[in-house]
Amino acid sequence: MAGEEGADVLAITEHWKCYCRTQGKHGGSAIYSKEKFKCTERTDYSLLSVSNIIECSAAQIYLENYKILIVCIYRPNTQPVADVDQFLEVLRIILEKCTVEKGKFILVGDFNLDILSDSTNVSEFKSLLENFNLDFTNFVPTRPASGSCLDNIITPLPGQTRVLEYHISDHCALKFVANSLYSNHINKRKIKRRIINDGTIANFVQKLTSINWDDIYTCTSDPNQLWNIFHERFSKTFEQCFPKVEVYLSSNEKNIKVTPDVEHLKDILDKLYIVSFARPEFKATYISIKKQYDNSLSQKKKDHFNSLIRIQKISQRLHGG
């Protein structure tokens, strides 16, 4: 099927492989890509999986000057352990992580929620996506026997989704074709930026510690001269470790900037959420931190839009509007 359709990436749910589950049978989520692509597993997403609630796998696909995150999700629907509220809470965390990525993303999978129905669960599902300015790309039934649309693809990327019937499962397959990923760079502005991350910082610190500073500590000459020597060595090392490289200005740059304190709070929140399943005593702490995070994020949005309004008003006054 994949070869016939010319698929570059294949996302599969309910593959029944044992490596995706520590208990129970069937289920599973997996992603496969062609060997021509550089592909890395994103375990930070798979760790969000919760037994009987949500199974998640993720992979980062690297194209020419472009990368895209693929997240494959399966929601088990075994009653009575299936918990839609808990599923939507984990999905919210996944969507938050996706929206702060440095590239585009595609969520695909079997959500086991019929979006053609008007149930409360489906309404909450749709509302969650609307909060991230996202929507389903498919509204055609994917389970012919029941006429329900349980499988979908969710992405900010422009493209087309088709339902494929190969009669190898009680669910149909979905094929998403993105609109010319490579040509997306044509209209994007290039900028020069220093790549600063944990790896480059560690390299910088290591190089600084290897420099011999004895002459600065022991020399009794002019302090200004000592400062110049220090500054020259420090700056040279800095430029070596953080050279400016040419990158494309992503559309994400236009989004609301999240400050390091909010990012730190989000990191704590994700870890507390996972820990709280094994240690219920952390649930209250999770709820408290979540409230702080939501309030902080809400304030950032208010500040962002207030700034836009002020800029617009100043522009109008300058142009006599």
Side-chain angles (χ1 to χ4, degrees):
M1 181 186 76
E4 182 178 336
E5 291 294 334
D8 290 325
V9 179
L10 192 64
I12 301 176
T13 60
E14 287 195 272
H15 52 60
W16 295 18
K17 299 296 183 181
C18 62
Y19 58 78
C20 281
R21 286 186 170 188
T22 57
Q23 58 184 0
K25 59 181 180 178
H26 304 167
S29 167
I31 298 172
Y32 302 88
S33 75
K34 286 186 175 179
E35 291 183 352
K36 68 178 181 179
F37 296 122
K38 179 184 176 183
C39 178
T40 58
E41 182 183 8
R42 290 291 300 270
T43 55
D44 51 332
Y45 283 86
S46 58
L47 287 174
L48 293 172
S49 298
V50 181
S51 179
N52 295 314
I53 303 298
I54 182 172
E55 295 177 2
C56 177
S57 58
Q60 194 86 54
I61 310 294
Y62 296 87
L63 307 175
E64 293 180 3
N65 299 315
Y66 195 92
K67 65 179 181 179
I68 186 166
L69 174 69
I70 311 292
V71 181
C72 182
I73 292 173
Y74 172 61
R75 186 183 83 84
N77 196 27
T78 305
Q79 300 297 332
V81 292
D83 186 330
V84 177
D85 289 338
Q86 195 173 348
F87 165 77
L88 293 177
E89 178 62 15
V90 179
L91 184 60
R92 178 191 65 80
I93 293 175
I94 291 172
L95 289 171
E96 287 178 345
K97 285 175 66 65
C98 286
T99 52
V100 297
E101 292 281 347
K102 296 295 184 179
K104 296 298 184 181
F105 63 89
I106 298 176
L107 262 70
V108 58
D110 178 2
F111 299 94
N112 264 317
L113 289 168
D114 182 12
I115 67 165
L116 301 180
S117 72
D118 55 358
S119 70
T120 301
N121 289 334
V122 169
S123 296
E124 292 177 351
F125 190 14
K126 292 179 179 179
S127 178
L128 175 63
L129 296 185
E130 289 173 358
N131 289 338
F132 293 89
N133 294 319
L134 295 169
D135 198 1
F136 306 106
T137 63
N138 173 55
F139 295 90
V140 177
T142 58
R143 194 168 187 270
S146 61
S148 52
C149 183
L150 306 177
D151 312 85
N152 231 297
I153 293 174
I154 301 164
T155 177
L157 281 170
Q160 300 78 40
T161 297
R162 290 195 297 119
V163 175
L164 309 174
E165 176 56 85
Y166 277 88
H167 307 287
I168 59 176
S169 169
D170 60 341
H171 288 235
C172 298
L174 292 177
K175 180 180 180 179
F176 178 75
V177 180
N179 291 346
S180 194
L181 287 175
Y182 294 100
S183 64
N184 280 351
H185 295 301
I186 295 176
N187 297 320
K188 285 189 176 181
R189 184 164 60 90
K190 286 183 178 181
I191 61 171
K192 285 193 173 183
R193 172 175 292 172
R194 300 184 191 277
I195 306 302
I196 300 178
N197 53 40
D198 291 345
T200 56
I201 291 174
N203 181 47
F204 178 56
V205 172
Q206 190 277 326
K207 286 187 178 296
L208 283 180
T209 56
S210 65
I211 296 175
N212 188 344
W213 303 98
D214 290 348
D215 55 337
I216 295 179
Y217 290 119
T218 59
C219 186
T220 58
S221 60
D222 181 13
N224 291 325
Q225 182 181 354
L226 295 179
W227 163 252
N228 291 334
I229 295 173
F230 167 79
H231 186 264
E232 180 182 356
R233 294 177 186 174
F234 184 92
S235 300
K236 182 179 180 180
T237 306
F238 182 87
E239 290 296 335
Q240 289 175 346
C241 297
F242 307 108
K244 286 188 176 182
V245 295
E246 199 172 60
V247 297
Y248 286 99
L249 183 62
S250 167
S251 59
N252 286 340
E253 301 287 344
K254 300 175 183 178
N255 294 340
I256 298 170
K257 298 295 182 182
V258 179
T259 55
D261 58 320
V262 176
E263 289 182 347
H264 180 64
L265 209 58
K266 177 64 170 59
D267 184 53
I268 295 175
L269 188 64
D270 289 346
K271 293 173 182 176
L272 277 173
Y273 180 77
I274 297 171
V275 171
S276 64
F277 285 107
R279 301 284 296 276
E281 62 268 28
F282 284 96
K283 189 67 176 180
T285 305
Y286 166 76
I287 293 173
S288 175
I289 296 294
K290 183 177 182 301
K291 186 174 181 180
Q292 292 180 43
Y293 173 75
D294 290 342
N295 290 339
S296 298
L297 206 57
S298 177
Q299 187 60 50
K300 296 299 178 186
K301 290 179 180 178
K302 289 179 182 178
D303 293 343
H304 173 76
F305 289 115
N306 285 337
S307 176
L308 292 179
I309 292 171
R310 285 196 299 271
I311 292 172
Q312 182 63 26
K313 288 182 177 178
I314 293 172
S315 177
Q316 290 176 346
R317 285 198 296 268
L318 290 174
H319 293 88

